[in-house]
Amino acid sequence: MSQGKKDIVLVLAAILLLEIGIRLLAPVLSGNVRQIEAMSDTAADMARHPPALLFLGNSLTGNAVDTETFSRLSGLKLNVYMAVPDSTSLWDWYCIIDHTFVSQGAIPEVVVIGYAWGRTPPVPQRLGGFFCRMEDLPVLYRLGMNHFDQIMDFIVARVLRLYALHEVLQKRILDLFVPQYREFTQEINAEARARKKKNHQLVAGTRRADESDPMLGAWLERLQALGIKPVVVAMPVIDPYLLPHDFFDLIDRADGIAIDFRNLPGIGKKHFRDPIHLNEQGRAIFTQALARRLHQALPTYAR
Amino acid sequence: MLFNSYIFWIFFLLVMLLYRQMNHRQQNRMLLVASYIFYGYWDYRFLSLIFISTVIDFIASKKITANDDAGCRKRWLLLSVVFNLGMLGFFKYWNFFIGEVSASLSMMGIDASLPLLHVVLPVGISFYTFQTMSYTVDVYRGKTKPAEDFLDFALYVSFFPQLVAGPIERSSHLLPQITIARHIGNRDFSEGFYHVLTGLFKKVVIADNMAPLVNTVFSRPVSELTGPEVIMGVYAFAFQIYGDFSGYSSIAKGIAHWMGFDLMWNFKNPYFSQTPSEFWQRWHISLSSWLRDYLYIPLGGNRHGQGKTFRNLMVTMCLGGLWHGAGWTYILWGFYHGVLLIVYHAIGQVKAVTRLQPGVFLRFLNIVLFFNLIAVSWLMFRAESVSQIGDMLQLAITDFTLTDFSRYGFVMIAFFTMPLILLEYWTEKAGDLLVLLKAHWLLRFASYGYFVLMLIIFPPLVSQEFIYFQF
């Protein structure tokens, strides 16, 4: 074998070994991966115990809702489940509902999502690596994941778990070696975003803050097609934000329930443990308020 | 197309698939088309510029050779030089000079509203204009024969691996490789692979991960920094610019190898240099040798006494600084390098110094000292303004407050750069930049595995453009 071919074989062997290693070790290395894998168990349980209400979201929802308290206070004849993998968004939830839940026969009656900030960009590595499949590409493309690099990132992550998990691994490794890695990296990223925002503000034609969110529309359509009642809760966070200008119309047309908790009475700065996540007290207030609201909004399921 | 983008590798795969099926002449034509597509992908509007430059230099060189009259030959040479420098001057320096003239006139009390233009700098213009000028000058000097075929010459000007950020190839090196049929051996593939893999590693893992540190330090007000934070930022930039530029050159050399071309080495472990002369034989070799052959030596080089030697060094380095960008910081960078060359030249004349045979420890100290002197030059290169240079330098030498942020930065630098430093130390000791290719397969497996692992896990969240694209 020529040296060149040998070198290619060496590199492929290295990638294969690393890929096998990461597939075996991923749940150990990442809490988020464990959360994602646990969703299958949640779906299986849901399939066995209908009817169900599913909280589908990210840490925003996970920190805001106490499912046991909600179940007790809402008085709904629905088994309550939660699937809130960190850092996910509507892009991910769009695929999760089909590939994790519906595929196992777990079709909830109601899905509640925590929504904030409007339109967000997709994270192709996460979509390809964990939640979506190749056949979802045309839909994702139509909805806005249409840059060539995004599509390639999706495909590479679909094939290589190592790439799908690279951000998790990066953080884990640098946490080990670099003092105060997360603290200073967040600080650097925040300064970079501020500089970028300042530069964009100098350029004419900034995006409108309340622009429509096509992903929300698509997700609502999907739930409607599955016969699932959507509930979209605009979440409270410390810094105010605008909702898409057609937020309420879209949800109304999908026969869904829109709840605007951005300025939920009783929630103040002291109820947050960081700029976006509620603390225990905030959680209690939020859960109570949501339970009451859904008790009224879902009379069909009320005990 | 960035070399670390998917679109480039799909483009290159298509080029290679076609290349392998074609004969020599077809390969050249296809590569010319591919090079224009590559360049047009950046901005199609500037294809006309590179084409016009190609036509002018091709005709000028033909006319130079066809004429015996010295005056006529000189006029054709001037046409080429004036056109190329004029193009470079307009796109790169118009606003800078207009701004400086306006400021000077204002200081004299004259309010002149001189026109500032929103000129987009064509990618790679500094590189290909220097490349074509070197060709015309070499033809004039009789050092190289003019290209017979216009399309082959056009490929020499636009060859995509080295078009936008070098190396600046001499016609005597690259043109024959275009005009004569190429053979791709087994060694070409393995060597190319090594260059591509290490190039991507240097760019994506090292340079792009240093960028956030550098941008943070250089965008904060100096009053919010400490001395160690400035030093950390400067060291991070030293590795960012090295990783970025040498990474690009490595990838260019690698993909050229895969097509049977041998591009020159542009970097040879420059941070192991002990003197400025040595540094310029190891850093951006294609530019430093260009400046030596077409500026320093024509000015007189070191042939007319020490005073004129120093003058020539200073002029060459200042213009070399200006080549990098339209700004006083770049000129200051060049001036500083001129000072370093002069000082080391003067020290080198001292008999006691020339008799010294430095041992390992002294060589190590020299390397560390010189790296820090180079780091000072990088501060000038990266700074946003001359006043920032002064403020940061002052802070670096007067304040020694080690903060958590500086510790974070130093460890990040060490984490990303130490393996590369170890690899370069090994190649330095072995006296062979490609020593890894001759190593035991297990060592290659571990090294390549490391590069690949880092490339997959440590691409930064935001990809950075190659620094030298702005030149």
Side-chain angles (χ1 to χ4, degrees):
Chain A
M1 200 190 282
S2 68
Q3 170 125 348
K5 286 184 184 149
K6 238 190 245 175
D7 289 345
I8 293 283
V9 167
L10 287 176
V11 168
L12 290 175
I15 293 175
L16 187 64
L17 269 174
L18 294 166
E19 181 68 10
I20 291 170
I22 209 67
R23 281 178 189 256
L24 292 171
L25 292 171
V28 173
L29 288 171
S30 166
N32 205 27
V33 170
R34 285 195 295 277
Q35 249 184 338
I36 291 168
E37 292 185 352
M39 284 198 301
S40 279
D41 298 334
T42 304
D45 197 30
M46 194 193 298
R48 285 193 297 270
H49 302 105
L53 179 147
L54 172 68
F55 283 100
L56 179 60
N58 51 32
S59 57
L60 218 56
T61 307
N63 278 267
V65 178
D66 178 337
T67 50
E68 276 183 35
T69 309
F70 174 85
S71 197
R72 190 170 30 87
L73 294 179
S74 65
L76 297 173
K77 284 182 291 186
L78 293 167
N79 294 311
V80 177
Y81 296 90
M82 185 175 262
V84 288
D86 282 347
S87 309
T88 51
S89 69
L90 269 169
W91 290 91
D92 311 278
W93 308 332
Y94 184 88
C95 292
I96 288 173
I97 199 73
D98 269 304
H99 301 311
T100 307
F101 289 92
V102 172
S103 62
Q104 291 202 60
I107 303 181
E109 301 292 315
V110 179
V111 168
V112 183
I113 64 160
Y115 186 88
W117 304 298
R119 189 174 176 179
T120 52
V123 180
Q125 303 97 297
R126 201 171 57 218
L127 292 172
F130 297 107
F131 305 123
C132 303
R133 296 186 187 151
M134 291 293 202
E135 57 261 31
D136 297 316
L137 262 176
V139 173
L140 296 172
Y141 181 92
R142 189 174 44 83
L143 291 168
M145 196 183 84
N146 47 25
H147 292 147
F148 185 74
D149 282 353
Q150 288 175 320
I151 295 166
M152 289 306 297
D153 268 349
F154 179 97
I155 294 171
V156 172
R158 191 91 198 103
V159 170
L160 268 185
R161 182 57 69 95
L162 193 57
Y163 186 63
L165 282 169
H166 82 269
E167 281 184 36
V168 168
L169 292 170
Q170 209 180 103
K171 285 177 190 154
R172 274 299 194 118
I173 294 170
L174 290 173
D175 267 339
L176 269 175
F177 288 99
V178 183
Q180 292 167 276
Y181 167 69
R182 295 206 189 212
E183 178 193 325
F184 285 117
T185 304
Q186 277 167 11
E187 193 177 302
I188 284 173
N189 290 342
E191 284 184 37
R193 275 194 300 273
R195 281 196 303 272
K196 198 174 175 183
K197 196 174 172 185
K198 190 177 167 188
N199 287 338
H200 281 166
Q201 276 163 357
L202 296 171
V203 173
T206 48
R207 258 175 50 186
R208 107 182 241 186
D210 63 344
E211 64 173 347
S212 187
D213 184 352
M215 201 61 225
L216 178 62
W219 182 81
L220 289 166
E221 260 178 46
R222 184 68 194 128
L223 291 194
Q224 214 178 2
L226 290 167
I228 300 173
K229 184 92 167 164
V231 177
V232 184
V233 184
M235 301 295 285
V237 296
I238 288 182
D239 290 327
Y241 62 90
L242 292 176
L243 288 169
H245 60 87
D246 54 356
F247 178 80
F248 294 99
D249 283 338
L250 272 177
I251 297 166
D252 196 44
R253 267 187 263 134
D255 195 30
I257 299 164
I259 300 175
D260 188 353
F261 272 2
R262 283 178 295 168
N263 299 303
L264 179 62
I267 295 277
K269 276 191 185 163
K270 64 177 183 179
H271 297 106
F272 288 87
R273 59 178 174 84
D274 60 41
I276 61 174
H277 297 110
L278 291 169
N279 58 23
E280 284 300 320
Q281 286 172 294
R283 193 182 202 207
I285 297 169
F286 183 94
T287 304
Q288 259 184 33
L290 185 63
R292 272 200 304 270
R293 185 69 80 89
L294 287 184
H295 177 81
Q296 291 163 357
L298 297 167
T300 330
Y301 302 103
R303 289 193 196 106
Chain B
M1 296 174 220
L2 294 178
F3 278 172
N4 56 316
S5 68
Y6 294 113
I7 190 78
F8 172 75
W9 290 103
I10 290 174
F11 161 82
F12 184 66
L13 185 65
L14 289 169
V15 166
M16 283 304 289
L17 284 171
L18 288 170
Y19 192 82
R20 305 291 286 221
Q21 310 303 319
M22 292 174 165
N23 63 33
H24 168 236
R25 194 179 158 81
Q26 291 168 337
Q27 284 174 346
N28 284 355
R29 301 298 172 254
M30 186 274 295
L31 283 178
L32 178 60
V33 171
S35 297
Y36 269 66
I37 290 171
F38 177 83
Y39 194 65
Y41 190 87
W42 292 102
D43 194 327
Y44 69 90
R45 296 172 296 174
F46 296 125
L47 284 172
S48 54
L49 277 179
I50 195 171
F51 181 72
I52 293 168
S53 179
T54 304
V55 168
I56 287 178
D57 289 327
F58 182 76
I59 293 172
S61 64
K62 285 286 198 192
K63 294 291 186 187
I64 286 167
T65 334
N67 266 287
D68 288 328
D69 177 60
C72 189
R73 296 174 79 242
K74 204 167 233 175
R75 280 194 292 277
W76 281 108
L77 172 67
L78 261 176
L79 170 69
S80 165
V81 170
V82 165
F83 176 79
N84 283 301
L85 287 180
M87 205 170 57
L88 188 62
F90 173 74
F91 283 100
K92 208 161 169 176
Y93 304 109
W94 174 266
N95 283 343
F96 172 63
F97 283 121
I98 290 294
E100 293 306 308
V101 167
S102 286
S104 305
L105 290 173
S106 290
M107 270 169 37
M108 291 190 280
I110 304 165
D111 180 25
S113 301
L114 296 171
L116 275 176
L117 305 172
H118 292 292
V119 182
V120 176
L121 183 64
V123 171
I125 191 169
S126 303
F127 292 91
Y128 74 73
T129 51
F130 269 37
Q131 183 153 310
T132 53
M133 270 197 299
S134 77
Y135 165 77
T136 330
V137 172
D138 282 350
V139 167
Y140 177 81
R141 287 174 176 174
K143 286 177 104 179
T144 196
K145 286 199 186 110
E148 290 295 324
D149 185 271
F150 173 72
L151 295 178
D152 282 349
F153 177 70
L155 178 57
Y156 161 72
V157 176
S158 63
F159 186 47
F160 73 87
Q162 44 91 237
L163 172 59
V164 294
I168 302 168
E169 282 286 343
R170 303 296 177 88
S171 56
S172 56
H173 187 240
L174 184 55
L175 254 180
Q177 297 184 68
I178 290 171
T179 55
I180 298 166
R182 297 169 290 276
H183 300 283
I184 305 166
N186 287 327
R187 171 103 185 158
D188 284 312
F189 184 81
S190 60
E191 198 176 313
F193 186 69
Y194 172 80
H195 286 303
V196 168
L197 193 56
T198 53
L200 285 172
F201 172 78
K202 284 189 278 190
K203 161 59 180 161
V204 174
V205 177
I206 295 183
D208 285 1
N209 279 297
M210 292 294 100
L213 277 173
V214 174
N215 294 340
T216 301
V217 168
F218 280 87
S219 62
R220 279 187 186 168
V222 181
S223 55
E224 290 177 21
L225 295 168
T226 66
E229 287 172 356
V230 168
I231 293 170
M232 179 270 288
V234 171
Y235 281 1
F237 183 67
F239 287 105
Q240 180 194 2
I241 195 165
Y242 176 56
D244 196 271
F245 198 13
S246 71
Y248 185 95
S249 292
S250 284
I251 299 168
K253 193 166 166 65
I255 60 181
H257 257 299
W258 283 343
M259 294 185 283
F261 288 93
D262 172 45
L263 295 183
M264 66 179 291
W265 284 92
N266 215 10
F267 292 85
K268 292 183 179 178
N269 301 341
Y271 289 151
F272 283 85
S273 304
Q274 298 180 58
T275 67
S277 300
E278 190 184 357
F279 179 76
W280 289 109
Q281 286 162 28
R282 292 170 177 255
W283 177 280
H284 200 177
I285 299 165
S286 64
L287 176 68
S288 58
S289 60
W290 194 103
L291 290 171
R292 178 197 64 210
D293 293 341
Y294 301 104
L295 190 55
Y296 177 68
I297 289 174
L299 282 172
N302 60 1
R303 297 192 302 276
H304 304 295
Q306 199 168 67
K308 286 197 172 155
T309 300
F310 290 171
R311 178 205 68 185
N312 297 338
L313 281 171
M314 191 53 81
V315 167
T316 303
M317 293 316 297
C318 284
L319 288 176
L322 191 60
W323 176 90
H324 284 85
W328 288 110
T329 54
Y330 296 112
I331 296 169
L332 195 59
W333 173 84
F335 178 80
Y336 174 77
H337 272 286
V339 168
L340 281 182
L341 278 163
I342 289 168
V343 167
Y344 270 76
H345 196 277
I347 292 172
Q349 305 290 341
V350 175
K351 284 206 166 76
V353 171
T354 52
R355 272 194 236 117
L356 252 176
Q357 296 289 334
V360 170
F361 183 65
L362 193 58
R363 276 205 307 274
F364 171 74
L365 280 183
N366 282 338
I367 289 170
V368 169
L369 168 68
F370 192 70
F371 174 78
N372 282 282
L373 290 173
I374 288 297
V376 171
S377 79
W378 290 136
L379 190 162
M380 298 175 189
F381 195 89
R382 179 56 180 82
E384 311 278 332
S385 66
V386 175
S387 60
Q388 189 182 35
I389 294 170
D391 294 339
M392 283 182 128
L393 272 175
Q394 189 185 12
L395 193 61
I397 58 176
T398 56
D399 177 68
F400 307 105
T401 316
L402 196 62
T403 58
D404 289 341
F405 178 57
S406 57
R407 257 189 291 268
Y408 158 86
F410 283 124
V411 176
M412 284 286 273
I413 294 168
F415 177 83
F416 284 107
T417 65
M418 279 315 296
L420 177 72
I421 293 171
L422 286 171
L423 173 65
E424 293 198 350
Y425 173 72
W426 180 30
T427 62
E428 191 70 12
K429 270 219 79 153
D432 181 358
L433 294 169
L434 297 172
V435 66
L436 183 62
L437 292 182
K438 296 164 192 149
H440 191 268
W441 72 266
L442 259 177
L443 190 51
R444 284 207 320 283
F445 172 71
S447 305
Y448 287 173
Y450 167 76
F451 291 138
V452 165
L453 178 72
M454 294 298 280
L455 275 166
I456 295 174
I457 295 178
F458 286 99
L461 291 174
V462 177
S463 186
Q464 310 283 330
E465 197 163 81
F466 285 94
I467 296 175
Y468 266 72
F469 281 1
Q470 64 187 295
F471 309 136

